[in-house]
Amino acid sequence: MSGRKNRQWLLVSRPEGMFTEQNFKWVEAPIAALKDGEILLRNLWLSCDPTQIGWMKVDTYVPKVPLGEVMRAIGVGQVIESRNSSYKAGELVSGFIGWQDHVAIGGRDLKAVQRLPPNVPPELMLSLFSTGMTAYFGVTDIGRVQAGETFVVSSAAGAVGSIAGQIAKILGARVVGIAGGPVKCEWLREEAGFDAAIDYRAEKVGPRLSETCPQGIDVYFDNVGGEILDEVLPRINLHARIVMCGAIADYVSREYRPLRNYPLLITRRGRMEGFIILDYATRFGEAVPVLAGWYAGGRLKQKVDVAVGLENAPKTLARLFKGENFGKQLLKIADPPLPVLS
Ligand SMILES: NC(=O)c1ccc[n+]([C@@H]2O[C@H](COP(=O)([O-])OP(=O)(O)OC[C@H]3O[C@@H](n4cnc5c(N)ncnc54)[C@H](OP(=O)(O)O)[C@@H]3O)[C@@H](O)[C@H]2O)c1
């Protein structure tokens, strides 16, 4: 690898509110010689995830990214050199690879590395078998949706939301999605099989929820937080479950936004529960065959939105916060340089 440069995006300052390209610095660093036990990846695909803005700002379920270090990102890479007998050059793996062309991984960090199952392309590994896991366990374990119940999901045309709604539909619920814009709403109704869709940018969410959920709401899968959550709360049924998956509206907002209607959880005996998908890592094996079966049978549609070029990493991540992505946002940064081993 001597002489080859590793292009990288370093995090150099912490954003307040939304991040900008100025929070990062583009550098070209040498690739260090591999140590015993390490593998060297050529990074191919990056996953763009709303949680990355949290990684820039504060310690959460993982420590914040230290200033001056490569911006953390999940992705898929190809092993191009190995000093670890468990890995061969040519294998495709996923893990925390960062906004860079190459990464050397060894020691404890290898525990977070997963081989791609045979016949699973990187796009599917980073969507259905990644954000799809969040949807699966959020719906089944936290939401515990039952046939005949009414299920509402926000950011419904996004990576997690689109799969969550389709899973609830497969499990027999009436499903209503909330998304931004007529194109996303039409896709939810016509392609993803949702019973109704609400365009929160053009329509009044409260009255439309009353219209589309005449029996009230049993499960709300919340990806957004903020005002939409406040419109859902007055419409929940007794023993409703609110799945606190994400709160993207609050990740960039610097205003204090009180949740006026949360006391309704008391009278309706509702449950609001947060979860982090990493806690389910030991149960991924349960979800994989189920998701794969639904997908292969055409019952689950996985939409991906692909941008290209490592230089576009900050811009591509920003698309999530402007509603520009449609389905799972990915960034392709290279093609495999070696034949792929499966
Ligand atoms: N708990 C966990 O373990 C876990 C794991 C993965 C993801 N998550 C969370 O799940 C949520 C969805 O993540 P994702 O990866 O699937 O992203 P995504 O939904 O594919 O993309 C983000 C979407 O959020 C919507 N959005 C952005 N700003 C908004 C605002 N102010 N108000 C309403 N909607 C807004 C946009 O859709 P519209 O065009 O519809 O506005 C945008 O397309 C995020 O909150 C994320 O943090 C949680």
Side-chain angles (χ1 to χ4, degrees), residues 47-52 61 130-131 134-135 154-162 178-181 184 200-201 221-225 228 244-252 257 274-279 319-329:
S47 173
C48 299
D49 297 290
T51 194
Q52 286 175 274
Y61 57 99
S130 176
T131 34
T134 307
S154 53
S155 196
V160 175
S162 61
I178 304 173
K184 290 183 178 181
Y200 76 93
R201 292 187 202 275
F221 194 108
D222 190 11
N223 287 312
V224 164
I228 294 178
M244 298 295 296
C245 178
I248 194 166
D250 294 319
Y251 298 169
V252 290
R257 287 198 288 207
F275 75 108
I276 289 292
I277 190 58
L278 296 179
D279 299 342
R319 288 168 58 81
L320 300 175
F321 299 90
K322 296 185 269 185
E324 290 174 353
N325 66 303
F326 192 171
K328 172 68 195 177
Q329 181 70 61

